[in-house]
Amino acid sequence: MRVPTMLAGVLVLLMSMVADVLAAADVRSVRLWRAPDNTRLVFDLTGPVKHNMFTLTAPERLVIDVQGAQMTTPLEQLSFDNTPITALRSAQRSANELRMVIDLGAAVSAKSFSLPPNQQYGHRLVVDLYDKGAAPPVPATQATAPAQPVLTLPPVTSAKRDVLIAIDAGHGGEDPGALGPKGLKEKDVVLAISKELQRLINAEKGYKAQLVRTGDYFIPLRKRTEIARKMGADLFISIHADAAPRTAAFGASVFALSDRGATSETARWLADSENRSDLIGGDGGVSLDDKNPMLAGVLLDLSMTATLSSSLDVGQKVLGHMGRITSLHKKRVEQAGFMVLKSPDIPSILVETGFITNPAEASKLQSKRHQQALASSIHSGVRQFFQQSPPPGTYLAWLRDSKQSTQLAQIAQGPRTHVVSAGENLLKISQQYGVSLASLRSANRLRGDTIKVGQTLSIPATTLAIQP
């Protein structure tokens, strides 16, 4: 009699497990985000569900049947301004089937997918509505073969074009990024810094900055670099705010891509956190392994060598200027496998402005004054880089070449004379004519640097090497 009793117990246990699986999941909240070319609806669930989606016309509407779900949140509070949605309604078709209907005012291209729980959310059903003419991206899992890298050249522009800088504010929409004390969200802090950086760059002749993300909405990591490439960007800057398991961690960092992986445990942890964002966005399948088939061709391309060199150069200059206004986590540019840095033809850096999980740094990051100081320091580093290495065909390159032509013309003039005026010294005169102090002393048989007002000096034709 003992065996049947045990079997009965197992049967009860199995029936209980089946009942749990079939138990209805609640739709506990609905969130809506508007991006420039699409609208995203996120249904937060208490458990996993299966769903089916189809469209109806006359009038246009999208129907979603969800198996094993019940609506437990009101839908009236949603605002559909500036979206193709005119209404969202639901009805319980049966105890085990929920029907949701999205009424549309314009034709859209729709995509839906389920997401498992992560660090910030539980189970979710995501519906993306792409405006007419904006095709939805193909998820990596649907690709029939590894994509071959294609290097797209920036659009041909007229002479003296502006240097174009793409500024990417990390995270956004349903992905808040790292969370600080009192509900502070990384996505809000970095967007504010990015907008201030854009303002500073656009105020200077010869430069133009564009935001990759202009508002509070999500953009997949791979698409961020695609947007920068379509802009024809000369530089890609991704702005973030660190998080760490230890609240004591502090300081700003600058990262460039490493084709061999992270250079420290901290860099590897950060890279894992940032790249995991695409799982939140729904593209999934993002690997931190730089030998990922879809990226291997890009990483092996010879152009990456020059791009990475420029990335390290501009990164070090930005880091140097940031160190003047805030503490640094590391005094050198680190390298890690951040997805947003994997552009073979655009120098790219990721700037971590501080640790939002550190209460003291979070307080500073929330301050508008500190945000402006951070933006100013990044701007100074970028400006220094492009003054030394302006892209061909830009106003900055023309300006540099014009200065060099002027110096060469002065050399061609041969020996000249200069009458010393009040307030001048030998160093200032040598700089004015682009000659060395030694050659200026030798040409005038001076034993030191003492000169008198009214004294006539011979300016030698030999100059210092011209710096680009």
Side-chain angles (χ1 to χ4, degrees):
M1 295 297 294
R2 181 174 181 141
V3 173
T5 303
M6 291 179 61
L7 289 175
V10 171
L11 183 60
V12 170
L13 179 61
L14 288 174
M15 291 177 66
S16 174
M17 292 173 63
V18 170
D20 288 341
V21 171
L22 295 177
D26 292 338
V27 180
R28 61 185 181 184
S29 66
V30 183
R31 293 174 284 129
L32 182 146
W33 310 93
R34 177 61 185 170
D37 63 350
N38 71 85
T39 302
R40 168 166 286 189
L41 279 167
V42 181
F43 299 90
D44 291 303
L45 307 164
T46 58
V49 296
K50 292 183 178 180
H51 76 282
N52 179 48
M53 184 174 70
F54 59 93
T55 58
L56 295 173
T57 57
E60 296 282 345
R61 54 205 189 279
L62 187 67
V63 180
I64 307 167
D65 287 333
V66 187
Q67 302 298 320
Q70 295 178 349
M71 182 67 67
T72 61
T73 183
L75 302 176
E76 295 78 14
Q77 79 278 11
L78 289 173
S79 172
F80 302 118
D81 294 344
N82 194 33
T83 76
I85 302 173
T86 58
L88 173 61
R89 46 203 169 89
S90 70
Q92 207 70 39
R93 298 189 72 197
S94 69
N96 260 342
E97 186 176 23
L98 171 68
R99 169 162 288 186
M100 296 184 291
V101 180
I102 302 174
D103 293 319
L104 301 168
V108 298
S109 216
K111 182 181 77 168
S112 64
F113 50 88
S114 297
L115 291 175
N118 60 21
Q119 298 93 335
Q120 289 140 358
Y121 301 107
H123 290 276
R124 287 148 292 154
L125 171 61
V126 180
V127 178
D128 283 332
L129 307 176
Y130 290 86
D131 299 344
K132 192 173 182 180
V138 178
T141 54
Q142 294 182 12
T144 56
Q148 295 301 315
V150 179
L151 299 185
T152 304
L153 296 176
V156 178
T157 56
S158 58
K160 302 182 187 178
R161 68 173 179 86
D162 291 335
V163 167
L164 182 59
I165 300 162
I167 305 173
D168 171 45
H171 307 280
E174 75 273 19
D175 173 20
L179 303 177
K182 300 179 181 179
L184 185 63
K185 298 175 182 177
E186 179 183 1
K187 66 174 184 178
D188 298 328
V189 170
V190 298
L191 183 59
I193 295 172
S194 297
K195 287 182 176 180
E196 176 62 16
L197 177 58
Q198 180 193 33
R199 186 189 68 80
L200 291 172
I201 291 174
N202 285 340
E204 188 165 2
K205 184 175 175 59
Y207 295 86
K208 183 179 181 182
Q210 291 186 12
L211 296 176
V212 172
R213 173 171 74 87
T214 59
D216 187 15
Y217 51 87
F218 181 83
I219 302 177
L221 298 177
R222 196 184 307 278
K223 188 175 180 181
R224 294 172 188 253
T225 56
E226 291 175 1
I227 291 172
R229 184 170 289 107
K230 288 178 181 177
M231 290 179 184
D234 298 292
L235 175 66
F236 179 87
I237 306 174
S238 191
I239 309 291
H240 289 260
D242 284 353
R246 297 182 303 107
T247 58
F250 70 96
S253 308
V254 176
F255 289 83
L257 178 67
S258 169
D259 56 0
R260 296 180 305 275
T263 55
S264 70
E265 287 301 318
T266 299
R268 184 175 291 109
W269 189 90
L270 289 168
D272 288 346
S273 299
E274 300 299 342
N275 287 335
R276 200 177 296 123
S277 293
D278 253 358
L279 297 179
I280 295 175
D283 282 350
V286 177
S287 171
L288 295 180
D289 184 358
D290 286 323
K291 294 181 181 179
N292 184 303
M294 295 188 69
L295 300 172
V298 171
L299 296 175
L300 291 174
D301 194 286
L302 292 177
S303 68
M304 180 61 84
T305 303
T307 301
L308 181 55
S309 176
S310 295
S311 300
L312 292 169
D313 189 4
V314 67
Q316 195 59 52
K317 288 176 171 58
V318 167
L319 192 66
H321 285 276
M322 291 184 72
R324 299 176 187 178
I325 59 100
T326 191
S327 301
L328 297 180
H329 188 62
K330 292 288 179 67
K331 293 184 179 179
R332 62 180 177 84
V333 176
E334 293 208 81
Q335 294 178 251
F338 289 106
M339 181 64 68
V340 291
L341 299 180
K342 293 184 178 181
S343 180
D345 50 351
I346 306 174
S348 305
I349 59 172
L350 186 145
V351 179
E352 296 281 8
T353 53
F355 280 85
I356 200 170
T357 46
N358 180 308
E361 287 210 326
S363 178
K364 290 198 301 180
L365 287 169
Q366 198 170 13
S367 160
K368 186 174 181 179
R369 183 174 180 179
H370 189 64
Q371 291 172 357
Q372 291 173 337
L374 286 169
S376 179
S377 65
I378 298 170
H379 171 234
S380 296
V382 169
R383 186 174 182 272
Q384 182 183 1
F385 170 75
F386 280 117
Q387 282 184 335
Q388 295 179 2
S389 307
T394 61
Y395 170 79
L396 297 181
W398 171 83
L399 196 63
R400 181 196 63 180
D401 294 343
S402 296
K403 289 180 179 178
Q404 289 186 359
S405 298
T406 300
Q407 290 178 324
L408 289 170
Q410 290 176 346
I411 294 172
Q413 290 175 4
R416 292 147 288 168
T417 59
H418 177 86
V419 179
V420 179
S421 302
E424 290 185 320
N425 56 47
L426 204 63
L427 177 60
K428 184 177 180 180
I429 295 170
S430 70
Q431 292 174 341
Q432 178 181 342
Y433 289 97
V435 299
S436 67
L437 272 172
S439 64
L440 191 55
R441 293 192 199 101
S442 176
N444 292 278
R445 299 180 180 179
L446 299 174
R447 295 184 178 180
D449 294 342
T450 303
I451 53 178
K452 299 177 181 179
V453 174
Q455 182 178 352
T456 300
L457 298 177
S458 295
I459 308 299
T462 304
T463 68
L464 291 166
I466 298 172
Q467 298 298 320

